[in-house]
Amino acid sequence: DIQMTQSPTSLAASVGESVTITCLASEDIYGSLVWYQQKPGKSPQLLIYGATILEDGIPSRFSGSGSDTQYSLKINSLQPEDFASYYCQNGLSTPYTFGAGTKLELK
Amino acid sequence: QVTLKESGPGILQPSQTLSLTCSFSGFSLSTSGICVSWIRQPSGKGLEWLATICWEDSKGYNPSLKNRLTISKDTSNNQAFLKITSVDTADTAIYYCARSPYYSGYFDYWGQGVMVTVSS
């Protein structure tokens, strides 16, 4: 199985700041990296797939980058609605595996 | 408009079989490339992919659950199903169904989730 190591586990930031979350795959996933946002009591929402492709309707302050085994999610100019948990996912092969998540909290 | 909704028993006892239903609209599981998956999340924890079924009836399972999983579909009624045998307290979680387009490995639409508690 491909292991996904996400960091940091938690992150405190202020509205207007920029933050970066990283995800390390245990092997090359050839850009098949997915990011989701999950708010408390809600189901995950697709943000980015193919490492860099923004899902329709997702604000452009979200961006993804990376290749091979190393990937990152950057959120520019944090808005109040961005404080949530974020998960990366191996989208290359089954079993599809997720990172443990990053909880983004308001400082 | 794509929607998915899970349903299940709510609570069941250890060793029983968990049966879950995903009812969806806005797409068809007979459309080329479309797949539906089951993913679960214990309270306060991360996400675990369980199984996927695609339009042509191909299936994939998480080997960590060994032979306990069976996924199936009813294309005419726009439903997908998951059975988990011999449940244990460790199977207590929110269970989501989600759609994948074009044989992709990502999930673009998710249901609201259904809470399943295994308790004696």
Side-chain angles (χ1 to χ4, degrees):
Chain A
D1 299 3
I2 298 174
Q3 307 303 316
M4 307 301 291
T5 304
Q6 202 174 325
S7 61
T9 302
S10 63
L11 180 58
S14 301
V15 172
E17 287 186 4
S18 295
V19 297
T20 298
I21 299 167
T22 63
C23 189
L24 179 68
S26 61
E27 61 187 78
D28 192 340
I29 57 172
Y30 302 97
S32 296
L33 192 281
V34 189
W35 291 101
Y36 301 92
Q37 177 193 68
Q38 186 178 32
K39 297 181 179 179
K42 300 294 186 182
S43 53
Q45 179 183 15
L46 176 65
L47 295 177
I48 288 169
Y49 60 95
T52 62
I53 303 170
L54 207 61
E55 173 70 345
D56 290 345
I58 301 302
S60 59
R61 63 180 180 274
F62 291 90
S63 64
S65 63
S67 61
D68 301 330
T69 62
Q70 297 187 349
Y71 299 88
S72 61
L73 171 70
K74 185 174 184 180
I75 313 171
N76 286 318
S77 187
L78 279 166
Q79 298 300 299
E81 61 269 27
D82 298 338
F83 293 93
S85 292
Y86 293 85
Y87 294 91
C88 63
Q89 180 223 323
N90 144 46
L92 177 67
S93 60
T94 61
Y96 298 123
T97 45
F98 294 84
T102 295
K103 188 173 183 180
L104 177 57
E105 299 174 300
L106 184 61
K107 188 186 290 183
Chain B
Q1 179 190 3
V2 172
T3 64
L4 302 97
K5 186 173 184 179
E6 307 86 349
S7 58
I11 187 165
L12 66 167
Q13 295 185 336
S15 81
Q16 290 186 321
T17 294
L18 170 60
S19 295
L20 297 167
T21 299
C22 174
S23 301
F24 54 84
S25 63
F27 69 96
S28 172
L29 251 179
S30 62
T31 300
S32 178
I34 296 294
C35 303
V36 169
S37 300
W38 288 93
I39 298 130
R40 70 181 179 182
Q41 184 174 36
S43 181
K45 297 190 177 181
L47 299 159
E48 180 181 31
W49 172 77
L50 299 176
T52 295
I53 189 165
C54 296
W55 68 286
E56 83 291 33
D57 211 36
S58 64
K59 300 164 188 172
Y61 295 103
N62 192 324
S64 71
L65 279 83
K66 298 179 183 177
N67 297 320
R68 298 174 54 212
L69 302 177
T70 303
I71 194 169
S72 59
K73 62 182 172 71
D74 180 348
T75 303
S76 57
N77 287 306
N78 287 338
Q79 291 181 316
F81 310 97
L82 183 71
K83 289 188 187 295
I84 305 179
T85 60
S86 303
V87 297
D88 181 75
T89 54
D91 295 308
T92 295
I94 297 173
Y95 286 77
Y96 297 102
C97 62
R99 187 190 84 154
S100 299
Y102 321 122
Y103 284 116
S104 66
Y106 62 87
F107 312 110
D108 61 351
Y109 289 93
W110 295 62
Q112 63 189 24
V114 62
M115 182 67 206
V116 174
T117 301
V118 179
S119 174
S120 55

